[in-house]
Amino acid sequence: MLKPYHLAAGALLSVLVSHPLAAAEEKLLNVFNWSDYIASDTLDRFTAETGIKVNYDVYDSNEMVEAKLMAGKSGYDVVFPSAFPFFARQIQARIYQPLDKQKLTNYGNLEEGVINSLNATDEKILDFAVPYMIAGTGVGFNRGKVNALAPGAPTNSWDLIFDPKWSDPLKSCGISVLDDSGEVFAAALVWLGKNPRSEDPEDFKAASAAIQRIRPNLRYIHSSSYINDLANGDLCVAHGYGGDLVQARDRAGEAKNGVDISVYLPVEGAQVVIDVMGIPADAPHPDNAHIFIDFMMRADVVGPITDAVGYANAIRGTDAFVSEQRRNDPVIYPSPETRAKFFTVPPKPQAYIRQLTREWTRIKTDH
Amino acid sequence: MNRNARFTRNGAGRRLVVGVPYLWMVVFFLLPFLILLRISFSESRIGLPPYTEVFEWLGGLSFRVLGSFSNYQFLFTDDLYLSAYANSVKIAAISTALCLLIGYPMALGISRVRGQARTLLLMLVILPFWTSFLIRVYAWIGLLKSEGLINGLLLWAGIIDSPLALLYSPFAVYLGITYSYLPFMILPLYASLERMDGSLLEAAADLGARPMAVFLNVTLPLSWPGVIAGSMLVFIPAIGEFVVPELLGGTSTLMIGKVLWSEFFLNRDWPLASAVAIIMLIILVLPLVWWQRHQQQSEGDK
């Protein structure tokens, strides 16, 4: 009895609400993005050009976006998850709507290299997503302290973290890794010379052993604390996201506190994170969302964002809007050799994820 | 008059007064609990919602049960969950004891002061609530970190040579929980101490009891309800605490709130996360029920 009534009421409501909107959406857009991921004037420019007011919320983890979207009716029109494994898996859960490429007039601005690397991992992803920013996961270190405690350390390699020869003497001044089991296991696998995508039980054991060996050397395992701690000199070596490490380096430079931070993407290979824009299936303003995504594919919009946040974008012709210092930064715009070693990790089966999380808890808490 | 009495005993007014809290409990406790219970019997899947159905309606009143106890069984196959529960209970119990040790003298002191000074002291206890809980916990990061205020002060005073690892330690977790929940201990204690009849204390002193004996034989037993209420208010939220161990505890602190988080956010296993939450609820409700029984019995004895 309850259900037909609900259906009728729902139908009535949707007629009342959606019909007038089908003609013209209200001038509103709800965006959910990573913190510190646009320039200070990006949204104002969008509103000035289109008359669409933007409600802007931020998050600091892919898990947060995923949980909100999976609960349904998040109310967001545009979200920015990482392509792999998050967005690719979320497509399987059918929580995004396919993009209407007709409405994306700037689609041709996308860089071919980025399109190819997305397609190579998951060919369905471009039906639902437009790439936004790209960053490798790397290592940031305090030059002065590392030279003092571990002279001659290979500051271009994962050795700095995973090789006890260098990691042990650096323990006293602080090493951190990301609280992201996928990132750390992938890093351990490439350090061991194995395929970072491997799900082989033997490789898993070897990676776990490598991490457990250096576990006592880790001051903490955290995904954002290292930015400040590295900049303040509280931490010596940090495994972190490229853009975040660049921010730590910038902050240390601005503070003039004698802390000299260097950042590198390891020669063995670095995981590359491609964050994408997508429209949830139940987005209240899908038309405005398309307008926004189209806006975010313009070189004069995205260029200044790269300049502000220190992440490379996926749009051609943005060089004119990015300062020379940023453009010559090998962390933001890596050399072709480094790019060749970039890797992505596609979604894993649920059983593997559970095993990985369990092992990660064991490594972290000794339980 | 007779009719009036019957009206107040069985009438609409009484039912309303009793009904409102019950309605509150049904809407904000029982319903969410039942939703959680249902999810805990399902299995996770990739989809929306990210769990399977527990019942399959076959039309009319007949249905088939698809759910299982497998999530609960799983909780006992891995010692992670039991150690997390045990560790949470331990941390909550120690924090509660610390709150009691610090809060009791404060509450007693406030209840013995008169007039303006008492209002001021009470205000000082309540004042931290004007700042968000999260911000106050963040402030401790600034105090405890290795280049923070406390280490800076100790280094400057020459008490230590190198910074102490205060932050990201069990110590920081105890400190954070005790600090955050202290007002919840002080306020009920104060309420019960303030109501205490001062003449009882005078009588005890007149009969030759030393201050310590007065405290142990008169003040403490009379404030017992405040002690219990305050301890419950600290212990129960402290068990499920997530923010403090997450921000101050670093990685090695195992608490059930963090295990719940990783089941939900990392494994995306809502059913197992629900089962973890249900067990936690049972752990919390059992002592409450026991205490209420005990209370009723001891009142019956009197």
Side-chain angles (χ1 to χ4, degrees), chain A residues 66 89 234 350 357-358, chain B residues 47 78 147 263 267-269:
Chain A
E66 182 162 284
R89 184 176 48 226
D234 284 348
Q350 182 64 27
T357 307
R358 183 66 187 90
Chain B
D78 191 335
E147 311 234 318
E263 285 302 337
N267 288 340
R268 287 165 282 271
D269 194 336

Side-chain angles (χ1 to χ4, degrees), chain A residues 3 61 63-64 66-67 69-72 86 89 92-95 145 179 215 219-222 225 229 232-234 350 353-354 357-358 360-361 364-365 367, chain B residues 44-50 57 74 78-81 83 87 145-147 168 246-247 250-254 259 261-270 272:
Chain A
K3 264 196 168 163
S61 75
E63 286 79 13
M64 193 59 75
E66 182 162 284
L69 293 178
M70 293 305 278
F86 295 94
R89 184 176 48 226
Q92 294 168 19
R94 297 169 192 281
I95 58 175
K145 287 191 179 170
D179 191 0
R215 172 69 182 96
R219 179 167 298 167
Y220 56 73
I221 298 173
H222 200 276
S225 295
D229 290 346
N232 294 339
D234 284 348
Q350 182 64 27
I353 294 172
R354 169 162 292 288
T357 307
R358 183 66 187 90
W360 190 233
T361 307
K364 278 169 34 173
T365 65
H367 272 286
Chain B
S44 75
R45 61 168 189 147
I46 296 179
L48 203 69
W57 298 101
F74 185 82
D78 191 335
D79 66 337
L80 168 74
Y81 304 97
S83 0
N87 216 27
K145 65 178 186 174
S146 53
E147 311 234 318
Y168 309 127
E246 176 68 13
L247 292 180
T251 35
S252 59
T253 316
L254 186 68
V259 170
W261 189 93
S262 73
E263 285 302 337
F264 188 83
F265 286 96
L266 298 180
N267 288 340
R268 287 165 282 271
D269 194 336
W270 291 23
L272 194 71

